[in-house]
Amino acid sequence: MEKLRKFFNDTVEEMQHKVSWPTYTELQKSSILVLVGSLVFALLVGAMDLVYDSTLSWFYNQF
């Protein structure tokens, strides 16, 4: 039990004193970058799905 308590105490101490937290501005910039990247990826996958679906529909309608 003592090892577990020491682990949690060490974890709290490290999170408070040794971790460098981003500033609010850095956090906003990173969030915007993730949002834009996610939207670009979603549009790319959506376009690929549309092309794939159209190609398969055309192919199956040939028979």
Side-chain angles (χ1 to χ4, degrees):
M1 187 68 176
E2 185 61 34
K3 285 184 178 182
L4 188 60
R5 183 172 301 157
K6 181 177 177 349
F7 170 76
F8 283 116
N9 287 337
D10 290 347
T11 302
V12 169
E13 181 182 337
E14 185 169 341
M15 294 297 281
Q16 289 175 347
H17 302 293
K18 296 181 182 177
V19 174
S20 62
W21 296 98
T23 64
Y24 186 70
T25 305
E26 291 172 337
L27 189 62
Q28 282 182 322
K29 289 179 183 178
S30 296
S31 298
I32 290 171
L33 182 64
V34 169
L35 180 64
V36 169
S38 297
L39 289 174
V40 168
F41 185 72
L43 290 173
L44 181 64
V45 170
M48 290 170 51
D49 182 52
L50 182 64
V51 169
Y52 185 71
D53 184 51
S54 299
T55 304
L56 283 179
S57 294
W58 171 82
F59 179 75
Y60 287 134
N61 286 332
Q62 298 299 313
F63 298 106

